[in-house]
Amino acid sequence: MKELSNSPASTRALKPETLGRADGIIAQYPQKRSATMPLLHLIQEDRGHITQEDMKWVAEKVEVTPMQVLEVVTFYPMFRQNPIGRRHVRVCRTLSCALRGSYSLMESLEKSLNCPRGETSPDGDFTLEFVECIADCGCGPVVHVDHAMHENVTPASADAFAAKLKATLQDPSYGQNPPVPGTPEWNG
Ligand code: FES
């Protein structure tokens, strides 16, 4: 069993409204412990990752041990214990996308974004990960960035795609108009 990891010094407190929603969520379940995952999602939605203190708080709320909460956090890959970059970049590596170059694409993105796979870049701008099939197999390689999907991001277009991602860091309207399927913006 892994030990609970230390919270990073930069971790900010959860919003009061996040904390305020917890009891309502717990009340929806016949057993308090069934609210463990919803509470973890709630925390991650607020801050982007789950700290040791968060796990203790959830454990107290749903009346289990902190270790039981840690088991849930470490079992499911969508839960994270470390801060996420300003852009969360996920490259599909399952067969269809892999055959169309997702591994080469990943290598290029690692260099362009200065971010090793599975990690967050030192400047905190990007988190870069492989993921398994995200159900868009006919248009691979597929890259999911935050809440938007990008299709046909080939190794040849990796540098241009990375440049577009970097440009979003300066764009105050980022995320307000996600790309529309079938448009050039949607494709890599
Ligand atoms: S194999 Fe990549 S989306 Fe399915």
Side-chain angles (χ1 to χ4, degrees), residues 5-12 47 49-52 81-83:
S5 62
N6 288 327
S7 305
S10 61
T11 296
R12 69 163 172 79
R47 193 201 294 110
H49 68 283
I50 298 161
T51 69
Q52 176 180 344
Q81 296 185 66
N82 295 307

Side-chain angles (χ1 to χ4, degrees), residues 78-95:
M78 71 276 196
F79 291 130
R80 52 183 64 250
Q81 296 185 66
N82 295 307
I84 196 167
R86 293 173 64 204
R87 298 288 176 269
H88 188 191
V89 183
R90 286 164 282 191
V91 178
C92 175
R93 67 174 174 192
T94 307
L95 187 60

Side-chain angles (χ1 to χ4, degrees), residues 92 94 96-97 133-137:
C92 175
T94 307
S96 297
C97 289
C133 181
I134 38 183
D136 197 8
C137 318

Side-chain angles (χ1 to χ4, degrees), residues 92-169:
C92 175
R93 67 174 174 192
T94 307
L95 187 60
S96 297
C97 289
L99 288 174
R100 297 205 61 207
S102 58
Y103 281 82
S104 299
L105 171 65
M106 173 60 89
E107 283 174 19
S108 297
L109 291 179
E110 286 180 306
K111 291 185 193 127
S112 305
L113 302 178
N114 186 30
C115 184
R117 70 189 75 177
E119 296 184 20
T120 296
S121 58
D123 55 13
D125 283 344
F126 297 99
T127 295
L128 183 58
E129 294 174 336
F130 267 136
V131 289
E132 303 305 334
C133 181
I134 38 183
D136 197 8
C137 318
C139 301
V142 174
V143 182
H144 201 247
V145 182
D146 299 330
H147 299 295
M149 191 88 92
H150 299 266
E151 298 173 335
N152 301 302
V153 189
T154 63
S157 65
D159 287 347
F161 184 70
K164 282 204 294 192
L165 290 182
K166 288 179 185 173
T168 68
L169 296 168

